[in-house]
Amino acid sequence: AKEQFSWDDYLKETESIAAPLHCFKQSRIPPTNDFKVGMKLEAHDPRNVTSVCIATIIGITGARLRLRLDGSDNKNDFWRLVDSSDIQPIGTCEKKGGMLQPPLGFQMNASSWPMFLLRTLNGAEMAPAAFFKKEPPKPAANCFKVGMKLEAIDRKNPYLICPATIGDVKGDEVFVTFDGWRGAFDYWCRCDSRDIFPVGWCSLTGDALQPPGNNVSITKSSAKIQSSPSKVTRRSMQSPQKSAPVPAQRGRKPGRGKPPGQSTV
Ligand code: MLZ
């Protein structure tokens, strides 16, 4: 049987430490996910964040919901934690004096929106208010240090949560690097991002943590982190992956996602 990824072993092998819980804007114990597929709620449109829209729960994964905006296509699904401030019970928008908006890319004529809204809400199963959990408080400061390990959402494949390493720290931001993927999926984010989780998060929520990739990362930052490059190589040979190696530059926007002075060798 294929050996399962173990953080305990991996932290030892890489001689690294897990980022402490208080670094993250996540609850110490992941919130329970009581939602059910098919329920509707209000969500901020990720592509037009000032708009509050109706969304349907398409899937449940750990403490997250896979959401699709009503009137949108099936190509723009997004994932939100059950304690995200981006989601709220149906009726919240109206209570606050707001108006529900059609999603960006509403598939019908704009004039048909009021009728579409009536129909989509008619007989809908609305997610109960008690299922929405309070957003955890912000960390007091950016406590992350280069080399610390964490679990992070792969923003190019947002259903995936993967082992990652802090590659750089600048002000309130951190550079999240994905172990074994040669920088192809790395990104900068705020230290209070909801996309990063402490080591052990997935095992608590029941999410499937992806194993690290098998591509040896040779960036200046990782050279700084990895005290022994031979260990990285050994690790990558121990965990063969089915997926093809990812070219280092794949999908990277020029001038973005990489701190100045950091280069892939
Ligand atoms: N196998 C897919 C997904 C890779 C996910 C990496 N996550 C850090 C690919 O190669 O695109």
Side-chain angles (χ1 to χ4, degrees), residues 154 157 160 162 178 181 185 243 246 250:
D154 172 351
N157 306 282
L160 296 180
C162 312
F178 288 90
W181 291 98
F185 301 92
S243 28
V246 176
R250 184 168 156 274

Side-chain angles (χ1 to χ4, degrees), residues 41-55:
L41 44 77
E42 292 180 3
H44 286 265
D45 184 343
R47 294 192 290 170
N48 192 14
V49 290
T50 55
S51 286
V52 180
C53 304
I54 296 296

Side-chain angles (χ1 to χ4, degrees), residues 73-107:
D73 52 73
N74 59 4
K75 301 276 178 320
N76 290 286
D77 291 355
F78 56 104
W79 284 256
R80 288 293 176 269
L81 287 158
V82 301
D83 60 0
S84 165
S85 58
D86 291 341
I87 58 169
Q88 56 200 31
I90 286 174
T92 310
C93 180
E94 194 181 26
K95 234 182 269 170
K96 291 180 179 166
M99 284 239 286
L100 289 167
Q101 300 296 323
L104 197 84
F106 180 54
Q107 288 181 308

Side-chain angles (χ1 to χ4, degrees), residues 90-134:
I90 286 174
T92 310
C93 180
E94 194 181 26
K95 234 182 269 170
K96 291 180 179 166
M99 284 239 286
L100 289 167
Q101 300 296 323
L104 197 84
F106 180 54
Q107 288 181 308
M108 283 177 244
N109 195 304
S111 64
S112 58
W113 171 246
M115 190 54 76
F116 177 90
L117 185 59
L118 274 179
R119 288 204 176 128
T120 204
L121 288 176
N122 190 266
E125 187 183 1
M126 298 188 238
F131 290 5
F132 297 81
K133 303 288 148 65
K134 212 171 96 79

